[in-house]
Each structure stands twice: as structure tokens, then as C-alpha cells.
Amino acid sequence: MTTARLVDSGLQDGIDEELDRSLRPRQLDDFVGQERIKEQLSIVLEAARSRREALDHVLLAGPPGLGKTSLAYVVREELGVGLRTVAGPALERKDVAAILTSLEERDVLFIDEIHRLNRAAEEMLYPALEDFRIDIVMGQGPAARTLALDLPPFTLVGATTRTGLLTTPLRDRFGMTFRLDYYEPEDLARIVRRSARILTVEIADEAAEEIARRSRGTPRVANRILRRVRDVAEVRHEGAVTVGIAHEALELLEVDEHGLERSDRALLEAIVGKFGGGPVGLSTLAVALGEEPDTIEDVYEPYLLQLGFIQRTQRGRVVTELGRAHIGAAGVQPEHESLF
């Protein structure tokens, strides 16, 4: 059972990518939420500007869609320097030297999904991050020699959704590590209103708040829902987004009051209806849903765990009382509670 999802799955069409870029904040003051991180960043950015030095290397961690890439762009804009962007899985050892030697002084190198760097590329980064040099081996066998190339001081900004997969030597070379948290509905409503202004969409405050409540605490999801609500408003109505139109669009998208989509509810219903509420193993659940285990673990489960709708136990996944109540199965008892 594969369904289209509003949450980020790592694959975006070109139009959505272009819109994402257009909605990104340009300055730190325009970045909504994450106040603790913004305060710390504002201090180190001002210090780097005043000393005309490269900013210390920055690691941004957190779930997808919370603004890690946007913060990297903000850092570049605040410093007024160049930016090179590369995806961690695509970076090979032979590419590292070419990218690093093309950087100008104080430029920003942004590596997304940095935990997926291959080991050879990662090890080549070590001297570049610490001493601003790279070592290139010339020739082969006994005639081989090492050539050291000096690099201009630069800033590496790494983004990761899986901090635990970073190796200790790489993680220790970052001078600052920031973990982005899920957003409160109030901050998401501000983001929705800002995005609506950029997209020239007239939206009622109540409609923005309703979209925010169903956006899973994630700005990227809020912006995507806003675009789909805008489509409904333009095609079926006069273009302005009221709370009634927002409800109509959200019902069409099958996004409920907790931000769950059809696939999320199907997971809960499968555990309750087919496995008595659990426990059920991940591989068994994946077969029952027709999904890959990694998709269930990385895409579906995090938000359900955050809401307290499911639990991971040693014996498998269990739907909690909250989860059963959400799908109207409050009277169904989990299997592990009725074994004896």
C-alpha cells in the first residue's frame, strides 16, 4: 500500500523545490521559531563579521523539514559570502579536492545528509576542517608522494537527520551543534501567514491556525498544505482562503485534526485490526501494509511516537490507548495484555 504523503520522503518535484527556495527566509530575523538557536547564531555571526573571520563549522541536526537547509542559506546571507551545496551520499573522495579548492575565503560549504558521507570522502575532510589543507597522493607504489594544498578558511555547515550515525572524529570537528525542535502551532501559523504573503494568497487568521495545527510541527509540511489549500481556493472558490475552505481542502487531502494522513491511520488500524493492538514485529507489519520496513520506521513511526499513539517494545509495536481512541477502537485491548 503506497500512498502520496505530504511529509518529506526525500523526493520532490522541481516545482516544489523551486517554491521551497522562494519561501526560505533570507535573514535571521525572518526565520520563525527556534529562538535559542537564533540567539546563539546571531552572536557568533556578529563576532565573525566583526573579525572578518570564517565562522566556525556548524552542525544542524533534527527531523526533516524543520529548517536546516534554510539556516544554512541564512548563514551565507548574514555573512555575505558564497555558498556551495552538495548532498552527502553524492560526495566522492575525488570530488572533495575539487570542491574545497574552488572555495573562496570565508565561503560556506553546505553538506546535506552529512551522516551518509562515504568513509574515504569523510577522512579527506578531516585535515580540511581542522587545518584548512588537503593531502593529495601523487603517483603510485614506491614513487608515490604526498602533496599538501593549503585552503582558504571556510565554514562547513552540515545537516543531518541521524546524529547517531555520524562518526566521532567528524562530529568533534564541528565547533557548534544545534538541534532543531518541532514547532509550536503559534510559530507555524506565523510561517503560514508569511508564506501566504509571498505566494500572494489572502488567508484568514483562523485558516492559518487550522493549517498550523495539522502540520505535524513541521514548516515544510505547513507550506505544502498551504499550496494545496490555495489550489482548492482558486479552483473551487474565489481565491481567498477562509477557515471553511481550509477545512474542505484538509478533508480532501485526508489530513485529520492531529495531522495524520491515510497511511498513518492505516498503520494504526492494521495493528489494532489484524494484530489485536500488538505487539507486532516491524517486518510483519511491513508485509501487512505492503511497505518497506525502513519506510515505516523512518517516515510513519516518528510522528506517531511523538503523539504517543504507538510504542516500541522488545516484542514489537503496540498501539496505545490514545492511538486506539483516535481510530475509534478504544475498547480493543492489546494482545500482550490478554495473554494470561
Side-chain angles (χ1 to χ4, degrees):
M1 180 189 66
T2 303
T3 58
R5 296 179 55 84
L6 292 168
V7 296
D8 180 42
S9 63
L11 298 175
Q12 303 178 39
D13 62 292
I15 295 176
D16 271 355
E17 284 186 343
E18 183 176 348
L19 283 170
D20 264 337
R21 285 194 294 268
S22 71
L23 298 179
R24 294 193 192 282
R26 299 292 183 183
Q27 304 295 328
L28 199 58
D29 289 340
D30 298 331
F31 193 95
V32 177
Q34 312 292 345
E35 297 301 327
R36 178 186 57 84
I37 294 175
K38 285 169 56 178
E39 183 178 4
Q40 294 181 42
L41 262 181
S42 67
I43 293 173
V44 296
L45 285 169
E46 179 61 32
R49 283 195 299 262
S50 64
R51 294 194 296 261
R52 298 193 61 80
E53 294 178 352
L55 185 69
D56 210 351
H57 305 304
V58 179
L59 178 64
L60 302 172
L66 297 188
K68 298 185 293 296
T69 301
S70 294
L71 272 179
Y73 280 82
V74 165
V75 167
R76 185 275 303 267
E77 292 287 342
E78 292 283 353
L79 293 176
V81 297
L83 174 72
R84 288 293 302 272
T85 302
V86 64
L91 189 59
E92 301 289 340
R93 179 183 175 88
K94 58 184 175 59
D95 303 320
V96 173
I99 292 173
L100 291 178
T101 53
S102 69
L103 296 174
E104 301 290 338
E105 187 171 354
R106 300 170 57 224
D107 274 359
V108 173
L109 171 62
F110 175 58
I111 301 181
D112 198 12
E113 297 299 311
I114 193 170
H115 63 274
R116 295 177 62 190
L117 275 176
N118 71 59
R119 184 58 58 88
E122 178 182 320
E123 290 177 351
M124 195 170 184
L125 277 175
Y126 292 163
L129 297 179
E130 204 156 20
D131 302 320
F132 298 113
R133 65 174 178 81
I134 54 174
D135 299 320
I136 299 177
V137 178
M138 309 289 291
Q140 295 180 343
R145 59 192 181 88
T146 301
L147 175 64
L149 294 180
D150 291 328
L151 302 172
F154 69 95
T155 299
L156 173 65
V157 177
T160 177
T161 55
R162 307 283 293 273
T163 313
L165 296 183
L166 285 174
T167 63
T168 300
L170 179 59
R171 187 170 59 246
D172 288 348
R173 282 171 168 80
F174 287 96
M176 296 170 285
T177 299
F178 300 119
R179 178 168 182 83
L180 280 69
D181 299 318
Y182 286 104
Y183 286 66
E184 295 297 327
E186 296 79 11
D187 288 334
L188 282 175
R190 290 170 56 196
I191 291 172
V192 170
R193 287 192 288 267
R194 176 184 177 274
S195 298
R197 288 194 300 270
I198 295 173
L199 297 172
T200 64
V201 176
E202 183 181 345
I203 187 169
D205 286 343
E206 295 84 357
E209 292 164 3
E210 187 64 28
I211 292 172
R213 278 194 294 270
R214 303 196 191 194
S215 297
R216 309 165 76 99
T218 305
R220 181 178 296 161
V221 176
N223 285 330
R224 290 187 178 181
I225 293 179
L226 173 63
R227 295 176 194 132
R228 303 294 80 81
V229 171
R230 174 191 62 175
D231 294 342
V232 172
E234 290 178 353
V235 172
R236 293 186 173 180
H237 302 279
E238 300 298 322
V241 178
T242 64
V243 67
I245 293 173
H247 279 138
E248 177 187 342
L250 288 162
E251 184 176 348
L252 181 66
L253 294 169
E254 299 183 276
V255 178
D256 67 24
E257 64 274 11
H258 282 91
L260 300 189
E261 302 165 28
R262 182 199 296 179
S263 50
D264 300 303
R265 293 189 294 274
L267 186 147
L268 294 174
E269 290 165 358
I271 298 177
V272 171
K274 298 179 180 179
F275 305 103
V280 55
L282 178 60
S283 59
T284 302
L285 184 58
V287 172
L289 292 172
E291 289 282 8
E292 293 295 324
D294 288 347
T295 302
I296 293 176
E297 197 168 26
D298 296 335
V299 179
Y300 296 170
E301 286 188 344
Y303 189 61
L304 294 173
L305 287 165
Q306 181 191 353
L307 292 176
F309 284 179
I310 63 172
Q311 290 179 342
R312 289 175 178 169
T313 70
Q314 291 183 343
R315 297 180 57 198
R317 273 61 177 173
V318 176
V319 176
T320 66
E321 190 64 40
L322 286 173
R324 293 195 296 275
H326 183 73
I327 60 173
V332 178
Q333 293 301 314
E335 181 181 303
H336 73 289
E337 290 184 2
S338 58
L339 289 177
F340 302 102

